[in-house]
Amino acid sequence: MIFPLEELIKYDDNMYEITCAASRRSYQLSMLRDPEIEEYNGKVVSLAARQIFRKDIEFRLEK
């Protein structure tokens, strides 16, 4: 599994926002030791980005 470049190229919103969301989700997955990480050969950032782009998880900005 590689980083979902196709989705990243098509993404037309705030790039900083999606980067922060992927970073935060990566941290969550690694701290929880999510078993899905093994399916992605330990590529936590790729898994997090895929979950965000597929809308398996949602994110929002906190004020």
Side-chain angles (χ1 to χ4, degrees), residues 1-23:
M1 166 102 198
I2 59 171
F3 198 82
L5 291 177
E6 300 83 31
E7 287 92 349
L8 189 59
I9 291 169
K10 294 175 188 174
Y11 190 75
D12 62 349
D13 283 332
N14 188 328
M15 193 58 67
Y16 177 76
E17 188 176 285
I18 198 79
T19 302
C20 289
S23 174

